[in-house]
Amino acid sequence: MSSKNINKIKKDLENVKNKINLLNHHYYVLDSPLVSDHEYDIEFQKLINLEESYPNLVSNDSPSQRIGGQPLSKFESVNHKEKMFSLNNVFEIKDLKLYMERLEKNLLISSRNIKFSAEPKLDGLAINLLYERGVLVLAATRGDGTTGENVTKNVKTIKSIPLKLMGNNFPNVLEVRGEIFISKNGFDKINSSNSDKIFANARNAAAGSLRQLDPNIAASRPLDAFFYSIGYSSGNLNISSQSGSLLKLSKWGFKICELNKIVSGLGGCKEFYKKIYSMRDKIPYEIDGIVYKVDNLQHQKDLGFVSRAPRWAIAHKFPAEQKITTIDKVRFQVGRTGVVTPVASLKPVEVGGVIVSNATLHNMDEINKKDLHIGDTVTIRRAGDVIPEIVSIVNKGVERKKIIMPKKCPECGSAIERVKDMAFAKCTGGLNCSAQKKAAIIHFVSKKAMDIQGIGEKLISRLVDEKIINNTSDLYKLNNKKLKNLTINTAVREDSGKEYDITLGDKSIKNILKSISDRMEIKLSNFIYSLGINEVGEVTARSLAKKYQSIEDLSKANYNDIIKLRDIGPVAALNIYNYFHNKENLENINNMLNSGLQLINNKKEEDNLFSNETYVITGKLNNMSRRNLEEYIIENGGNISNSVSKKTSALIVGLDPGSKLEKAKKLGVKIINDKDFYKILKI
């Protein structure tokens, strides 16, 4: 075929794709169809016919590529080019007023003159899309803000998301952030047609659909998306406001929430909140609050970030939905550290789309304060729309029974003692208590500790109950023989109605043993954290790992040495000292080391590149995520801070730095370009 004919076919194909993209945009984004379904089908068939005739011309941005495709074996992890931050929350107007006062203090202008882009807070799943030369090449979940899961195949099935940006005025590389959701009607249709799995709420349905390994299942679900911000951009977008960003996104073909509005000051925010809250039930998709973003992008830069959230935005959450139910009974739950928590068993009731049958009672002081008894009719809510709790009594039960803390642990029979000057009571059984033992092992294998995947709570519970493992070191003694025929659940046969045991299969056993063997080399700080010492979190574990070269050195440390370390108080220091002077704990650690577990030692403090130096990072980094750079500095003896002060050793600056740069200049703090800093690190 001549090059002239090939060029004509390419042009025809491009015209058909552009027409279908335009029709899709009007139908799925603007809700304003340009043609009938029949006319659309004719155009789509033209595309299919052309691509079948010339398969070498099929491109990733073709509307035909929205079809699911082959199932995945797993989701791969991918890094975002720019970090995705969370939002801080307020629940009451007084807290919103305090937020406004902080803005005034930082911007030196009256909050009445601050314009906000007010947007409904969608109850869905955050997504980050990466476009290169206008074509969608990657879609990732938020994850931890730095790294998410690659869900590109599933996202491509969502017809309201452009595979190719409209127009031509866009940067070569662009990240776009939004929320994937399922409408209320879509949610009802999924549950009515899905006999295998009933979703608790629309958010769970959206998350479950997006994380299907089979894209064909995702394609069958009514997923939709709104977009609200731009992440990384390789070029200057010439945008000066958040509302301008939304307008730009709309022109590129993204669906923007029709309820968004520009408001001014506290009064404007309150009025918008009141309006949206009053119409919440009529909105066709789930929302759980309002997000206020300072509209001026220069003001956003000046305000910067604090910890995991921007200072220039706040989420004003709606009140938690409340329902009335009855306390049927109370059980006492034992946690990892032995704290005994009373938990109410309730008559099941739906709260915010979730069936609630249990609620925490916190402690006996809280029970006495609210005068709660078994048999009472109570109001419950999901605190922060997550944790069920009892708000108050509606009616006292006719035969109400007093809730009494047991004298002995329900799990092991050991004495329960009230901790002096504290509101809680503890089981004194320690790791002889099966509940504490299970919780300690669950903590040990968790992601932030040893990160041994594939070993969950149910499996650990069965292993402890069957006395196959008694402590964390026993995990390293597991083998095929010990796991073979282990009952992990029971089921009922449909034909006879009889129960039968579900046991671990050969493949499951192989995966469990591989998960353990894959984590036989671990950082010293992770290992210290995995031990579950009371009051020892990730930061304290890092401090201990930085100071001591080995677990042996740490076990020999005395109380006076430990308490001198940064951020370690007397309670934590005593817990650490006592832990390493307990014979059983030392024996358990030695057994793990003797099983082949290797701890990666910290460098000696005098060899550390940044010994006791404190760094602050600002702006978009080149070639490395902020989290990875922070960890690298910490591993080399340095400290990380979120704010610039006279004690800051240096400010590491990437692209588009915030107000931290100006503060560093005023204080005379050393400023290092991130590329120059990489040269110091030799990476």
Side-chain angles (χ1 to χ4, degrees), residues 455-493:
I455 301 181
E457 292 184 26
K458 285 186 179 179
L459 177 60
I460 288 170
S461 183
R462 291 298 302 143
L463 290 169
V464 172
D465 289 342
E466 294 296 321
K467 296 183 170 47
I468 294 172
I469 62 174
N470 190 51
N471 50 44
T472 54
S473 65
D474 285 343
L475 286 170
Y476 298 93
K477 299 174 185 175
L478 289 176
N479 54 39
N480 191 78
K481 184 178 179 181
K482 289 182 178 181
L483 294 172
K484 193 76 174 174
N485 300 323
L486 175 68
T487 301
I488 55 172
N489 212 336
T490 58
V492 178
R493 298 188 186 280

Side-chain angles (χ1 to χ4, degrees), residues 223-239:
L223 291 166
D224 205 343
F226 280 134
F227 291 87
Y228 47 69
S229 71
I230 296 170
Y232 174 79
S233 170
S234 63
N236 187 348
L237 298 174
N238 296 316
I239 300 171

Side-chain angles (χ1 to χ4, degrees), residues 32 52 90 165 221 244 263 440 445 603 620 631 675:
S32 177
E52 285 180 349
V90 294
L165 300 183
R221 303 278 173 81
V263 300
V445 302
K603 296 176 183 178
K620 304 169 190 173
E631 287 185 355
K675 292 180 180 177

Side-chain angles (χ1 to χ4, degrees), residues 49-67:
N49 291 341
L50 277 169
E51 290 185 338
E52 285 180 349
S53 300
Y54 306 97
N56 59 312
L57 297 181
V58 178
S59 60
N60 287 332
D61 64 335
S62 171
S64 67
Q65 299 307 294
R66 291 191 185 278
I67 299 166

Side-chain angles (χ1 to χ4, degrees), residues 182 187 190 199-210 221 223:
I182 288 177
F187 170 67
I190 287 178
F199 291 102
N201 52 51
R203 188 192 185 284
N204 286 358
S209 301
L210 190 66
R221 303 278 173 81
L223 291 166

